[in-house]
Amino acid sequence: VQICHNGEEKWVPEQAVPGHLGHGDNLGECQSGQRQSEGAFATDKKAQLRVYPNPATTGLSVDLGTNPNTVSRIELMDLSGKVVRSAEVGSNLQFHWTVSDLQRGIYVLRLKGRKTQSSKILIK
């Protein structure tokens, strides 16, 4: 599985993914300007995206910061790729989803925009 570890792309065995995600690594390729931070990652230095709490137990908050134009849709997916929550961004920059009905496990937050797609792993 490909991960972004301290700004560097690495391949790790599937069973090692939860440990890497637990200390702040991200699934997939490193995005430009990506940095390590508990429950947060950035698409650039001016537009801060925050996802909290991580791990989530009852609710999950997504704050798009000051960057509404690069993200048009957000989706929460299980590891099979099934979308379990989704929202069109529009003018809303903050979202809160109840997640207490979801099974315990690892989920991917996908950000869809004009140019790129980003993802963040969430452990519930």
Side-chain angles (χ1 to χ4, degrees), residues 31 41-43 47-51 62-64 67 70-77 87 89 95 97 108-120:
Q31 300 297 316
F41 64 101
T43 53
Q48 191 71 36
L49 170 74
R50 295 187 326 126
V51 180
V62 179
D63 183 349
L64 296 176
N67 196 9
T70 61
V71 178
S72 59
R73 182 173 187 77
I74 59 175
E75 297 175 336
L76 184 65
M77 303 179 307
V89 172
F95 300 87
W97 288 324
V108 176
L109 181 68
R110 181 166 55 184
L111 308 173
K112 296 178 115 179
R114 298 181 297 205
K115 298 180 182 180
T116 61
Q117 293 186 15
S118 301
S119 56
K120 173 71 177 177

Side-chain angles (χ1 to χ4, degrees), residues 9 12-13 15 23-25 29 32 37 41 50 52 57 68 76-77 79 90 103 113-114:
E9 293 170 8
V12 298
Q15 62 270 23
H23 68 258
D25 292 345
E29 297 177 358
S32 174
S37 177
F41 64 101
R50 295 187 326 126
Y52 58 94
T57 55
L76 184 65
M77 303 179 307
L79 289 182
Q103 290 186 356
R114 298 181 297 205

Side-chain angles (χ1 to χ4, degrees), residues 48-108:
Q48 191 71 36
L49 170 74
R50 295 187 326 126
V51 180
Y52 58 94
N54 189 7
T57 55
T58 58
L60 177 68
S61 294
V62 179
D63 183 349
L64 296 176
T66 60
N67 196 9
N69 296 324
T70 61
V71 178
S72 59
R73 182 173 187 77
I74 59 175
E75 297 175 336
L76 184 65
M77 303 179 307
D78 64 18
L79 289 182
S80 73
K82 178 183 174 190
V83 176
V84 295
R85 300 284 186 279
S86 67
E88 294 294 328
V89 172
S91 62
N92 192 5
L93 299 178
Q94 296 180 339
F95 300 87
H96 182 78
W97 288 324
T98 300
V99 295
S100 57
D101 61 319
L102 298 178
Q103 290 186 356
R104 181 179 177 96
I106 300 172
Y107 292 82
V108 176

